[in-house]
Amino acid sequence: MIEILDNLDVLARPVLDLSELKMGGVALGAPATSIAPQCIVEVQSSIVARVRDVYDADQDDIGREYYDADGQRLTLDEVIDHTARSDGFLYRLDEISYKLRGGTVVGFAIYGRRLAHFRHLTSYEKFLTAFGSPDQTRKDTEGGEFMGYTAYYWGARKQVQWDDWDRRIILINLGDFEGNTGP
């Protein structure tokens, strides 16, 4: 099995067998409970109705508080446990995340500093040379302004977001994300 974090170049392949990959020691199809909860710093879950960012006196972000629909505060451990048995996203501090469905890992995402490995790709043309021609491309806009592209590679069940403003890849996800398997 190939550990993505030890071999980021595998992400440039236009065709991947996702059953041969793991990220952060976790394979697609693995039970979500196999993800070490102490690595999780943020959660997106159906049990959470409200999230509040918490800051210290110097206005440094020190964490988040989670609340259920009744306004009861939930600990991060409670939210992780619920999410690991259902659907949602678990985010690690080292800028990778896991998509969960029915308590199973169905997708990976990698972003932020982790993508510095591809910093030599300073143009969309260089990106296309390295990653190959996508099966589908979507122009990304915000407020009517062109921001970049999302490239879909159906043979890899992958999408890559190219930020044209910063001239870099900002997100790669693999697995069960909308658009990753074709129209």
Side-chain angles (χ1 to χ4, degrees):
M1 197 161 261
I2 299 170
E3 171 59 59
I4 294 170
L5 301 179
D6 295 336
N7 186 6
L8 291 170
D9 287 328
V10 73
L11 294 170
R13 295 180 188 169
V15 177
L16 290 169
D17 180 353
L18 298 185
S19 68
E20 295 179 356
L21 301 177
K22 62 182 177 177
M23 190 171 71
V26 179
L28 283 180
T33 55
S34 65
I35 301 167
Q38 65 272 19
C39 296
I40 305 303
V41 295
E42 189 177 331
V43 181
Q44 185 178 350
S45 175
S46 62
I47 195 174
V48 176
R50 187 172 65 90
V51 177
R52 187 177 147 245
D53 291 324
V54 180
Y55 301 92
D56 65 13
D58 295 324
Q59 292 300 306
D60 294 322
D61 184 3
I62 59 170
R64 298 185 135 200
E65 292 178 349
Y66 297 92
Y67 296 87
D68 67 13
D70 295 327
Q72 297 297 309
R73 184 158 182 231
L74 302 165
T75 66
L76 179 59
D77 287 339
E78 289 172 319
V79 178
I80 291 170
D81 182 60
H82 176 271
T83 307
R85 292 180 284 110
S86 60
D87 300 345
F89 292 86
L90 298 178
Y91 298 89
R92 290 178 27 165
L93 184 59
D94 57 353
E95 298 178 323
I96 63 174
S97 61
Y98 303 97
K99 182 177 182 179
L100 313 176
R101 186 176 301 124
T104 301
V105 177
V106 298
F108 300 140
I110 185 167
Y111 43 90
R113 295 181 311 266
R114 287 277 182 191
L115 294 174
H117 178 79
F118 298 107
R119 70 180 162 268
H120 63 283
L121 305 176
T122 56
S123 71
Y124 187 64
E125 292 73 24
K126 288 180 181 179
F127 159 71
L128 290 176
T129 299
F131 278 71
S133 295
D135 295 297
Q136 183 176 11
T137 303
R138 181 188 75 213
K139 283 187 175 182
D140 299 324
T141 60
E142 187 174 301
E145 279 197 66
F146 173 70
M147 302 300 287
Y149 298 98
T150 299
Y152 297 91
Y153 297 87
W154 299 329
R157 291 179 42 217
K158 168 180 76 179
Q159 63 182 260
V160 182
Q161 287 186 354
W162 172 261
D163 182 325
D164 207 58
W165 286 62
D166 290 332
R167 317 292 290 163
R168 64 186 175 99
I169 296 170
I170 59 172
L171 171 71
I172 299 174
N173 67 39
L174 302 165
D176 289 347
F177 289 88
E178 185 177 335
N180 281 5
T181 57

